[in-house]
Amino acid sequence: MSPRRQRVEIVSQLVPILLKRLGEAGRDVALLARRYGLPSDTPSHPTVLAPVEAVRELSELAESVLNDPFVGLHAAPSVPRGSYGVVEFAARNAPDLRGAVGLAVRYHQLLNELVEFSWEAREGGALAVEHRFPGDPLGVGRHGIEFSSAVVLRAMRDAVGKDAYVAPKRIWFAHRRPPDVSELAAFFGTQEIEFGRESNGMLFDAAAMDTPLPQADGALLPILDRHASMLLPASPPPTNVLGRIRQHVRVGLSEGASVEQTAAAMKMSVRTLQRRLGELGTTFQVVLDGVRAEMARQYVEDPRLSLGEVAFLLGYSDARAFLRAFKRWTDESPQQYRKRVLGARSSRRPDP
């Protein structure tokens, strides 16, 4: 008997989009979700933890049902701005596109542990941006690959604004050449397209990489950069279940850190996550509140952060809710806490 093949799962944005569109086309979404062990309400979530084969097979089904040979490419615009949390916000505040790509590469493991994202400087200031699926170049299949590449380029174009246009000089994919590449050429803005490579990538010239980002905030960038660096997995990462859950909650705080997002990052169902927490005598809400309280103290102690920025980093859309929570955690307002802590630090400094 051959050994059972290990189930490989990935946090996917494409699967909810595909299931929603298949449902609109009359397909039984609940049945499709059950087939791959997905929640029945998957279309209502921005991401889902899905088997890699589910991404491939649902893409192929959607291509057939929707009669869309570029279903992955066409799904990319459905990803809303802000979907990548602190990594996206930090990248958008880099001075230029080269800096934005550098930040995205540095913190990509906060987004997806299965995909390798890298860059390589080329002659004349050009830059190659690549992503790959270790062990299987085809990874999530043709449509998943084209979706991922399109999402990256769309984010870059969104960052430079309407007054600039960014297009790669050359692109390459791991999958085989489809019968028609005209839509790929039109979207990516290049006729130089290669197939059957070991990775998926785009080559940009120096002029594209040096494009300034019009909405960049030089004062906000170091704050977001520091926040992202604090969220990188510990070395070594926690091995116990509660420690891993807390780590994933930290990463997702600025996006709200929902139980669905955390379960997907943990590669388990929401029901399993809640059961595991119950076995530990706690709940997701208690864990979320505890992580927020811990991070809130660290952020408030940093005088470079305004209280509005602290509220944002903790995932509060309403600053008043943050103020009430901080008072509950510490019996002090954030202003009182900051003044006391910074005053104590100042008193401990030796006289010059």
Side-chain angles (χ1 to χ4, degrees):
M1 180 181 293
S2 60
R4 186 176 180 180
R5 186 176 180 181
Q6 183 179 5
R7 175 181 166 114
V8 179
E9 296 178 310
I10 187 171
V11 178
S12 174
Q13 293 174 304
L14 180 57
V15 166
I17 297 171
L18 294 176
L19 284 177
K20 181 179 180 180
R21 293 187 176 177
L22 286 167
E24 292 169 347
R27 290 302 175 110
D28 188 335
V29 171
L31 180 63
L32 289 170
R34 279 199 304 273
R35 179 182 301 172
Y36 297 105
L38 304 174
S40 59
D41 61 346
T42 291
S44 66
H45 296 293
T47 62
V48 68
L49 183 68
V52 169
E53 62 266 22
V55 184
R56 289 195 296 257
E57 293 172 12
L58 285 171
S59 297
E60 292 166 1
L61 176 62
E63 175 185 2
S64 175
V65 171
L66 304 176
N67 192 27
D68 183 356
F70 293 96
V71 68
L73 185 71
H74 294 157
S78 297
V79 178
R81 182 173 182 172
S83 295
Y84 300 102
V86 67
V87 178
E88 180 177 339
F89 296 131
R92 285 182 177 277
N93 283 282
D96 53 32
L97 204 51
R98 189 183 303 273
V101 171
L103 287 166
V105 169
R106 185 187 310 168
Y107 298 121
H108 80 277
Q109 61 183 299
L110 296 177
L111 303 175
N112 205 317
E113 297 175 351
L114 186 61
V115 181
E116 290 183 356
F117 187 41
S118 62
W119 70 340
E120 180 183 350
R122 299 287 178 87
E123 185 177 355
L127 195 73
V129 182
E130 291 188 304
H131 73 275
R132 71 180 73 225
F133 301 88
D136 182 3
L138 293 178
V140 291
R142 177 201 150 193
H143 295 301
I145 288 170
E146 291 176 1
F147 170 80
S148 299
S149 297
V151 165
V152 170
L153 182 58
R154 182 170 171 268
M156 295 170 73
R157 287 173 173 167
D158 195 25
V160 300
K162 296 180 179 179
D163 294 333
Y165 178 73
V166 173
K169 303 295 290 184
R170 178 166 55 89
I171 60 175
W172 55 94
F173 299 103
H175 60 75
R176 292 185 299 177
R177 181 187 181 94
D180 178 17
V181 299
S182 59
E183 287 213 40
L184 292 175
F187 176 84
F188 288 97
T190 180
Q191 296 294 327
E192 295 189 36
I193 310 175
E194 301 174 12
F195 298 91
R197 298 282 298 272
E198 288 297 311
S199 65
N200 311 282
M202 296 176 278
L203 178 67
F204 297 90
D205 61 21
M209 286 293 96
D210 294 336
T211 303
L213 305 192
Q215 297 181 352
D217 185 336
L220 184 58
L221 176 59
I223 294 170
L224 293 169
D225 191 13
R226 178 173 176 268
H227 174 57
S229 66
M230 291 172 64
L231 299 177
L232 286 173
S235 181
T239 56
N240 63 83
V241 172
L242 186 57
R244 290 171 55 217
I245 293 173
R246 287 174 58 84
Q247 174 62 28
H248 287 298
V249 168
R250 287 190 192 95
V251 171
L253 270 184
S254 62
E255 302 172 69
S258 69
V259 65
E260 292 83 7
Q261 290 173 318
T262 305
M266 289 285 293
K267 300 184 178 180
M268 61 178 66
S269 68
V270 171
R271 182 176 299 178
T272 299
L273 174 63
Q274 292 171 330
R275 178 175 56 79
R276 297 292 293 275
L277 287 170
E279 292 170 352
L280 296 170
T282 188
T283 66
F284 181 79
Q285 189 57 47
V286 170
V287 172
L288 173 60
D289 196 61
V291 171
R292 274 179 164 160
E294 171 195 337
M295 300 300 292
R297 289 180 173 87
Q298 294 184 39
Y299 291 146
V300 171
E301 290 175 15
D302 188 339
R304 296 171 297 179
L305 289 172
S306 72
L307 296 184
E309 290 165 342
V310 172
F312 163 75
L313 293 173
L314 294 174
Y316 287 100
S317 57
D318 182 356
R320 291 171 298 181
F322 160 63
L323 297 177
R324 290 193 297 269
F326 196 88
K327 180 77 171 179
R328 174 168 54 84
W329 294 325
T330 65
D331 288 327
E332 294 179 288
S333 70
Q335 297 92 332
Q336 291 169 329
Y337 182 89
R338 175 174 282 177
K339 182 178 180 180
R340 178 175 61 79
V341 170
L342 295 183
R345 287 180 185 171
S346 178
S347 66
R348 290 196 298 266
R349 291 176 185 160
D351 294 331

